[in-house]
Amino acid sequence: MIAANILSIKEKLPADVALVAVSKLQNPESVLEAYAAGQRHFGENRAQEFAFKQARLPADIVWHFIGHLQTNKVKMVVGKAELIHSVDSERLLWAIEKEALKQGIQQDCLLEVHIAVEESKSGFSKEELEALISQPEFRRLQSVKICGIMGMASFVSDEQQIRAEFRRLKHIYDRLQQSVFAGNPDFRYLSMGMSGDWPIAIEEGSTLIRIGSQIFTKTD
Ligand SMILES: *Cc1c(COP(=O)(O)O)cnc(C)c1O
């Protein structure tokens, strides 16, 4: 079932859109089922659960960290996740920089942007993002590589609203790519789209979708 779910999503993916299978709350056996179907990119949203699974699952899995990360847990994720999608505060950004510097590595990250109406969702507002990137310190990041942005649309059924939010995120992405990150090939990911809204996200320019329930929930 998991294999079939992955295949049916992959069939519809344009060549330039990557699939992250969100394995949070799934046991290692289910992850292995997806792995056997050829899936290599997996996403986790809790540091502890991520560490637990990474230790027990094949070493060639490419892990994505997609959840809110507390600064006191950066050690558990930096250098272990290929891409951290959820850098949602300046404090976290500097904590990751410090840890990556200490480890002597480069950590790929995305800045999370708040596009939904729900206050509960995290991320930089457009204004906060602008304030961040205009700081001289931002240009002095050595060990964090900013590879793009991530966002989550509102949890609503109104397709027009979801589309408008994704379009806003794409617009922010394009503006950054043409300004601060102009000519920077590292800046290449627009992470948007989940089980309920990924076809819309792709139409609006997503390059990375994060799918959990549509892969791991049995449907028949
Ligand atoms: C859980 C989660 C997903 C996947 O959600 P589904 O609706 O199950 O596909 C994607 N992104 C983030 C940040 C998540 O926490």
Side-chain angles (χ1 to χ4, degrees):
M1 184 55 74
I2 289 174
N5 291 346
I6 289 175
L7 277 180
S8 85
I9 295 168
K10 284 214 161 153
E11 258 168 21
K12 297 175 197 113
L13 282 193
D16 55 352
V17 179
L19 169 65
V20 175
V22 176
S23 49
K24 68 181 185 204
L25 307 175
Q26 303 299 327
N27 55 36
E29 291 69 37
S30 298
V31 180
L32 281 175
E33 222 177 304
Y35 180 88
Q39 182 66 29
R40 289 295 177 272
H41 290 253
F42 291 90
E44 287 290 331
N45 71 337
R46 287 175 196 276
Q48 241 100 18
E49 192 178 336
F50 165 55
F52 176 86
K53 283 183 192 156
Q54 188 174 43
R56 284 161 184 79
L57 287 161
D60 64 339
I61 287 183
V62 179
W63 292 101
H64 295 248
F65 195 83
I66 61 169
H68 176 66
L69 180 59
Q70 287 167 274
T71 50
N72 62 350
K73 293 193 179 148
V74 290
K75 257 203 257 334
M76 298 175 71
V77 174
V78 170
K80 299 186 170 78
E82 177 96 354
L83 183 64
I84 300 174
H85 292 229
S86 42
V87 178
D88 56 8
S89 71
E90 287 191 28
R91 210 164 99 83
L92 177 60
L93 179 67
W94 304 128
I96 295 172
E97 164 78 1
K98 194 171 157 202
E99 177 61 26
L101 198 63
K102 197 165 119 196
Q103 293 182 22
I105 58 141
Q106 294 257 305
Q107 177 64 57
D108 288 358
C109 292
L110 307 181
L111 297 172
E112 182 173 351
V113 182
H114 188 277
I115 50 169
V117 287
E118 292 114 12
E119 288 291 337
S120 58
K121 295 207 165 119
S122 43
F124 293 95
S125 68
K126 196 164 158 251
E127 293 72 30
E128 287 166 342
L129 197 62
E130 258 148 37
L132 170 69
I133 62 181
S134 57
Q135 288 174 23
E137 291 84 3
F138 186 75
R139 287 164 199 270
R140 283 190 225 115
L141 283 172
Q142 294 177 45
S143 303
V144 165
K145 243 196 261 173
I146 303 291
C147 298
I149 62 175
M150 182 271 250
M152 271 185 275
S154 297
F155 191 68
V156 293
S157 54
D158 180 355
E159 241 188 57
Q160 288 319 309
Q161 183 179 343
I162 294 168
R163 188 178 296 281
E165 290 173 0
F166 283 149
R167 197 166 286 182
R168 196 145 50 81
L169 192 65
K170 165 74 161 130
H171 183 71
I172 294 170
Y173 176 75
D174 287 342
R175 288 238 321 259
L176 291 171
Q177 202 168 44
Q178 288 151 18
S179 57
V180 234
F181 298 101
N184 180 346
D186 293 334
F187 194 87
R188 64 197 186 285
Y189 294 128
L190 178 54
S191 171
M192 61 183 195
M194 312 183 3
S195 293
D197 55 23
W198 65 266
I200 306 173
I202 288 176
E203 284 168 13
E204 298 304 327
S206 171
T207 70
L208 202 49
I209 58 172
R210 312 175 309 270
I211 310 291
S213 39
Q214 201 183 337
I215 291 175
F216 292 104
T217 308
K218 310 242 182 294
T219 48
D220 44 20

